[in-house]
Amino acid sequence: MTNHHLTTRGEPRVALVTCTELADLDPDDRLVLTPLAARGVRVEPVVWDDPAVDWAGYDLAVLRSPWDYMSRRDEFVAWAARVPRLVNPADVVRWNTDKRYLDELSAAGVPTVPTGWVVPGEPWQPPADRGEYVIKPAVSAGSQDTGRYDLADPLHRELALAHVHRLGAAGRVTMVQPYLTAVDTAGETALLFLAGPEGLAFSHAIRKGPLLTGPDEGVEGLYKPEEITARTAESAELEVAEKTLAAVPGGSGRLLYARVDLIPGPDGTPVLVELELTEPSLFIGYADGAPDRLADAVLTHLARA
């Protein structure tokens, strides 16, 4: 059995929190191991629901790829509350793992994709405007249980109803959003922010190509493959990102990382589709110096701890 109770005097010990399926970490996350070792940090991948782990034995626990919690969110949130020196913090985890946080950000003035919610047991009819819509659960990741529906197509309307009913029958809240067609051309921009001495600082950006081609037909594995390329962030995107981070409950200064996902809206201006504060891919392999910046962000939080 792995001994999770060992500590080395004078050597900070950091857990990179993952899941059983990625016990050796996602390949992108492994890029930070060498920079952390060069900074004198002992780092270990640790599975979040391993009962043998003594979390108090770590100087810092960094959420990275616990991508199997979606069907056990309550368990995951309760676990996070028990882990000392967890980043991002447990209250952020609770808030950010249910996408109804989008309503709070919209109320705070963040330009956000319009979103409707369907709670289990509530009747729902597809919107009458017959455009394209995205349907997915409020607790989700990696496009799991997510579908794109053209409501001008009678079959798609039936499939959309079935999708909402299926999620509701499983006790899951459904979110319904208009499909932003700009994702098919401009793509989605993810802006990555990492902790520095004065709080979160912009690190790099990437472009994600479109993923959804039609109704949900079930997903095998943890995530779908994505088309990722480096991207230069535009000033309008950075402005929306800064406004989003300013609205995070408790302030963004406590965060080790943040990912702000934006798509051009109907008028071409960027709108928020997701704010990822719990377990986002950070795409550090797509920007020069990003692995070192993530390692420095970990050091920043070790100093605070």
Side-chain angles (χ1 to χ4, degrees):
M1 179 182 297
T2 302
N3 190 337
H4 294 286
H5 298 266
L6 294 175
T7 337
T8 302
R9 183 182 299 275
E11 185 180 44
R13 190 166 178 238
V14 172
L16 296 186
V17 181
T18 185
C19 60
T20 301
E21 290 84 352
L22 292 167
D24 292 324
L25 299 175
D26 179 75
D28 192 67
D29 286 330
R30 287 200 289 270
L31 297 176
V32 78
L33 298 180
T34 297
L36 282 171
R39 288 158 173 77
V41 177
R42 179 184 172 190
V43 59
E44 303 168 18
V46 186
V47 174
W48 74 272
D49 57 353
D50 180 351
V53 178
D54 175 17
W55 295 100
Y58 292 97
D59 298 287
L60 198 68
V62 181
L63 286 164
R64 287 312 316 124
S65 49
W67 293 338
D68 59 356
Y69 77 84
M70 290 76 188
S71 63
R72 298 184 287 158
R73 176 184 175 258
D74 289 346
E75 178 185 346
F76 182 69
V77 168
W79 164 85
R82 297 193 300 270
V83 177
R85 299 176 294 281
L86 179 70
V87 286
N88 287 330
D91 63 303
V92 172
V93 170
R94 177 182 294 277
W95 180 75
N96 189 240
T97 49
D98 186 325
K99 291 182 174 59
R100 284 177 283 188
Y101 68 75
L102 289 170
D103 280 355
E104 293 184 40
L105 295 177
S106 178
V110 176
T112 305
V113 59
T115 307
W117 311 95
V118 187
V119 300
E122 180 178 85
W124 178 79
Q125 287 296 320
D129 67 9
R130 297 179 179 270
E132 285 193 280
Y133 282 81
V134 173
I135 292 174
K136 60 184 176 180
V139 179
S140 66
S143 297
Q144 293 186 44
D145 303 306
T146 300
R148 172 182 173 182
Y149 300 89
D150 181 356
L151 298 184
D153 182 333
L155 176 59
H156 275 223
R157 294 181 74 84
E158 291 180 13
L159 291 172
L161 279 165
H163 190 171
V164 173
H165 180 268
R166 183 167 65 251
L167 292 175
R172 306 176 78 181
V173 174
T174 300
M175 54 194 299
V176 181
Q177 299 174 321
Y179 185 77
L180 299 178
T181 57
V183 74
D184 295 326
T185 53
E188 179 177 328
T189 300
L191 294 92
L192 287 305
F193 292 78
L194 299 172
E198 298 180 2
L200 284 182
F202 175 69
S203 170
H204 59 286
I206 58 95
R207 177 193 184 273
K208 295 193 288 181
L211 284 176
L212 300 178
T213 58
D216 173 47
E217 297 177 355
V219 177
E220 294 183 1
L222 287 175
Y223 49 81
K224 295 181 181 180
E226 294 179 307
E227 177 189 323
I228 307 295
T229 54
R231 168 165 274 179
T232 299
E234 298 179 355
S235 59
E237 293 171 329
L238 289 168
E239 288 175 10
V240 172
E242 295 289 356
K243 191 169 189 176
T244 301
L245 295 173
V248 172
S252 64
R254 302 180 299 149
L255 306 178
L256 191 147
Y257 53 71
R259 197 182 90 199
V260 183
D261 294 345
L262 306 172
I263 296 176
D267 64 355
T269 61
V271 298
L272 178 74
V273 288
E274 287 195 42
L275 170 62
E276 299 274 12
L277 305 180
T278 302
E279 32 62 39
S281 294
L282 298 175
F283 305 113
I284 58 175
Y286 292 86
D288 291 342
D292 286 291
R293 289 192 291 275
L294 179 56
D296 287 338
V298 170
L299 287 187
T300 295
H301 277 263
L302 279 170
R304 296 177 185 177

